[in-house]
């Protein structure tokens, strides 16, 4: 039987994956996948906005939020495996994936390997490219800095890049919440995830195989995965739509939720294949 609400605990190989599952059972299901090093609460505004119409599920990636880290070596493929376990346990089919940044890497990899499980895809502030050699060096220096200076300092440095300049005055609550999410992530999980990100494979050469509808969004001030990376995905995926979200950096869903949600709703309304059951069964006659 389905458990609904917040902070439901699912055990996969002795590790707990913590998730929220809200909205109607037979409505189209959307799974939200958060970015690094955040947690499922980054999607709270989207869950709230959509739960009257859709089944909305958000989970903490292992080692983040309230999900256990487990013993396995972190990789994007391991994170995809956790996602598939969640889909399997919740008996979902025709799922819509919405991933931001690292969540997008996971979503792209899942769609590449298991396209039949998904109806539509939303890629927010993400990219299909693997890390460049310089990018890998930056990850290693971030690891050294975390070991030397601790998580709080890493959080302060990270948020500078995550938000648009104006968000530090207009989105004070969201900036504080994101810092809190980072600080609550253990040093070990931060380091293990940085290794997983550095070692991930690119998915750009597989974009042409994606046949489902795809919404790509990017914050106009995104410094981490800029508009050029979004444009590249748009050009690679035939059935895709690109929306640039103004007044936002890398976390467009938090920095400009009304515009982000508007694009999300419009896309979902047009492209979620599974239709809602009608609340009342009308009698229809054709003469
Ligand atoms: C994220 O937001 O998930 C990260 O910025 C991804 C990355 O560092 O590649």
């Amino acid at each position: 039987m389905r458990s609904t609400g917040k902070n439901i605990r699912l055990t996969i190989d002795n590790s707990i994956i913590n998730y929220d599952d809200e909205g109607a059972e037979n409505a189209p299901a959307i799974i939200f996948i958060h970015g690094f090093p955040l947690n499922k609460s980054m999607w709270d505004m989207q869950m709230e906005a959509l739960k009257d119409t859709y089944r909305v599920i958000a989970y903490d990636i292992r080692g983040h939020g309230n999900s256990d880290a487990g013993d396995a070596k972190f990789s994007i493929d391991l994170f995809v495996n956790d996602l598939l376990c969640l889909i399997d346990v919740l008996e979902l089919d025709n799922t819509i994936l919405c991933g931001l940044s690292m969540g997008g890497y996971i979503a792209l990899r899942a769609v590449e390997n298991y396209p039949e499980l998904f109806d539509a895809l939303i890629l927010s502030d993400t990219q299909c490219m693997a890390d460049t050699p310089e990018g890998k060096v930056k990850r290693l220096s971030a690891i050294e800095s975390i070991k030397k200076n601790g998580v709080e300092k890493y959080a302060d440095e990270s948020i500078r890049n995550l938000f648009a300049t104006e968000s530090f005055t207009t989105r004070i609550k969201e900036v504080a919440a994101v810092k809190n999410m980072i600080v609550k992530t253990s040093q070990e999980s931060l380091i293990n995830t940085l290794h997983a990100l550095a070692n991930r494979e690119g998915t750009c050469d597989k974009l042409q195989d994606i046949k489902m509808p795809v919404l790509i969004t990017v914050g106009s001030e995104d410094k981490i995965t800029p508009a050029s990376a979004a444009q590249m995905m748009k050009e690679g995926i035939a059935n895709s739509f690109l929306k640039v979200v103004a007044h936002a950096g890398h976390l467009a869903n938090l920095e400009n939720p009304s515009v982000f949600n508007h694009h999300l709703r419009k896309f979902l309304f047009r492209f979620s294949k599974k239709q809602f059951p009608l609340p009342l069964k009308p009698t229809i006659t054709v003469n």
Side-chain angles (χ1 to χ4, degrees), residues 3-23:
S3 305
T4 53
K6 294 218 180 266
N7 295 312
I8 306 160
R9 293 150 70 88
L10 164 72
T11 306
I12 303 175
D13 286 342
N14 299 321
S15 295
I16 287 165
I17 293 288
N18 184 53
Y19 70 95
D20 301 340
D21 183 355
E22 297 182 281

Side-chain angles (χ1 to χ4, degrees), residues 35-36 100-103 105 127 131 139 162 197 200 224 250:
F36 170 77
L100 183 135
S101 200
M102 174 172 75
Y105 308 158
Q127 61 184 344
D131 274 11
R139 303 266 190 215
L162 287 171
L197 290 169
R200 76 184 191 281
I224 299 174
H250 189 57

Side-chain angles (χ1 to χ4, degrees), residues 88-123:
D88 193 42
V89 170
L90 299 186
E91 297 179 8
L92 299 173
D93 49 22
N94 310 108
T95 313
I96 299 160
L97 283 184
C98 175
L100 183 135
S101 200
M102 174 172 75
Y105 308 158
I106 297 168
L108 276 166
R109 194 77 172 145
V111 163
E112 174 189 337
N113 290 325
Y114 307 93
E116 67 285 354
L117 293 180
F118 306 104
D119 262 6
L121 177 62
I122 298 135
L123 297 169

Side-chain angles (χ1 to χ4, degrees), residues 78-95:
L78 178 70
F79 296 157
V80 169
N81 207 53
D82 291 337
L83 168 67
L84 296 180
C85 288
L86 184 66
I87 289 173
D88 193 42
V89 170
L90 299 186
E91 297 179 8
L92 299 173
D93 49 22
N94 310 108
T95 313

Side-chain angles (χ1 to χ4, degrees), residues 98-217:
C98 175
L100 183 135
S101 200
M102 174 172 75
Y105 308 158
I106 297 168
L108 276 166
R109 194 77 172 145
V111 163
E112 174 189 337
N113 290 325
Y114 307 93
E116 67 285 354
L117 293 180
F118 306 104
D119 262 6
L121 177 62
I122 298 135
L123 297 169
S124 303
D125 297 283
T126 191
Q127 61 184 344
C128 59
M129 284 167 285
D131 274 11
T132 58
E134 300 77 49
K136 287 182 203 274
V137 169
K138 274 198 194 158
R139 303 266 190 215
L140 293 181
S141 62
I143 290 171
E144 288 316 309
S145 152
I146 293 167
K147 284 183 185 161
K148 197 163 149 233
N149 308 313
V151 175
E152 173 103 26
K153 178 114 193 297
Y154 177 72
D156 284 330
E157 283 162 9
S158 300
I159 53 173
R160 265 188 245 138
N161 289 326
L162 287 171
F163 288 95
T165 311
E166 66 184 274
S167 297
F168 290 96
T169 43
T170 57
R171 291 276 164 194
I172 292 170
K173 203 172 88 213
E174 286 74 16
V175 172
V178 165
K179 180 171 172 190
N180 197 34
M181 289 182 218
I182 303 176
V183 169
K184 278 166 99 178
T185 313
S186 73
Q187 178 162 323
E188 203 183 13
S189 285
L190 288 175
I191 293 171
N192 291 342
T193 312
L194 282 163
H195 280 298
L197 290 169
N199 293 330
R200 76 184 191 281
E201 284 173 36
T203 47
C204 299
D205 58 343
K206 301 290 178 350
L207 294 180
Q208 67 199 12
D209 300 332
I210 301 178
K211 304 295 178 216
M212 66 194 73
V214 179
L215 171 66
I216 302 164
T217 67

